Amino acid sequence: MDLGLAGRCALVTGAGKGIGRSTVQALSAAGVRVVAVSRTQADLDSLAAECPGVEPVCVDLGDWEATERALSRVGPVDLLVNNAAVALLQPFLEVTKEAFDMSFDVNLRAVIQVCQIVARGMIARGVPGAIVNVSSQSSQRALTNHSVYSSTKGALDILTKVMALELGPHKIRVNAVNPTVVMTPMGKSNWSDPHKAKVILDRIPLGRGGECGGCHPLPAE
């Protein structure tokens, strides 16, 4: 299917694994020049080998100054996919400051920073653009031990709406996608227990979670 994206440039965060990696692969196959952002150099090396032409950028998006330096060297971007996230799951009464700070730094603050950098570039060039924020169904439903993670995704949802309102006049579209559990490495670490996964599977008419390249379905009992 021709997506009409050939020749464009996309920046994808969290590109080393799971949904982000599959997004890079799909965009690259569609003729898009992709800037792949990950904090893990080994993941970027293997991705670049799989998808020649991908421009790897290794940076921890939780570090504001390092992110500013790394992305200031990236050329014009037409499409941004904010996929990077951490899921540090803890019971509400045991939530730590460290888990809270890291979760909001990566899942929300970094999105704001990366979007500012990319959107300012689009506006300066006078071109339309598109931003996609990868949120989660956990922003819509209460799940045990998800108080902080769900809060970051709920905040991301409303951030997306405000960005769409403010950036729309500049011809920049902003949308969010809210997938259910996908068995990426992060998904596996939190949902490999069949008894725990049943809570999610019972809510899904198809009886299975999401899948992407190299991912596996949620384990059934």
Side-chain angles (χ1 to χ4, degrees):
M1 181 176 64
D2 183 6
L3 300 177
L5 297 175
R8 303 289 182 87
C9 178
L11 189 152
V12 180
T13 69
K17 298 181 177 70
I19 294 172
R21 191 180 187 97
S22 293
T23 300
V24 171
Q25 292 166 341
L27 289 171
S28 181
V32 178
R33 183 175 70 85
V34 184
V35 178
V37 179
S38 172
R39 63 182 177 181
T40 307
Q41 187 64 53
D43 289 340
L44 289 172
D45 291 343
S46 62
L47 180 61
E50 291 176 18
C51 303
V54 166
E55 178 183 340
V57 175
C58 188
V59 65
D60 180 356
L61 294 176
D63 185 329
W64 183 280
E65 289 75 20
T67 299
E68 195 76 29
R69 289 193 299 270
L71 297 189
S72 67
R73 298 190 291 268
V74 173
V77 173
D78 304 297
L79 166 65
L80 169 62
V81 180
N82 286 300
N83 172 72
V86 296
L88 306 177
L89 307 186
Q90 298 173 321
F92 170 71
L93 293 176
E94 298 175 19
V95 169
T96 63
K97 177 181 183 298
E98 292 74 19
F100 181 94
D101 288 347
M102 180 179 290
S103 298
F104 274 88
D105 284 354
V106 176
N107 297 7
L108 188 70
R109 192 187 70 181
V111 173
I112 292 174
Q113 182 185 20
V114 175
C115 285
Q116 286 179 337
I117 293 170
V118 171
R120 285 169 180 159
M122 293 173 177
I123 294 169
R125 290 157 54 214
V127 299
I131 297 172
V132 177
N133 295 327
V134 180
S135 185
S136 169
Q137 281 294 304
S138 68
S139 72
Q140 310 293 321
R141 297 288 185 272
L143 295 169
T144 301
N145 299 338
H146 279 65
S147 56
V148 173
Y149 181 76
S150 294
S151 295
T152 67
K153 294 303 186 177
L156 181 59
D157 285 353
I158 193 61
L159 173 66
T160 301
K161 294 179 181 181
V162 175
M163 287 173 55
L165 181 65
E166 295 191 16
L167 297 180
H170 299 287
K171 308 302 180 187
I172 300 173
R173 294 177 290 109
V174 187
N175 291 280
V177 293
N178 295 63
T180 185
V181 174
V182 180
M183 292 306 279
T184 62
M186 186 169 76
K188 290 178 186 177
S189 69
N190 291 318
W191 294 99
S192 292
D193 182 351
H195 297 288
K196 182 179 178 181
K198 187 175 185 298
V199 175
I200 296 294
L201 292 174
D202 286 348
R203 298 180 178 182
I204 302 174
L206 288 176
R208 64 173 178 80
E211 299 175 32
C212 63
C215 301
H216 302 283
L218 283 168
E221 289 187 294

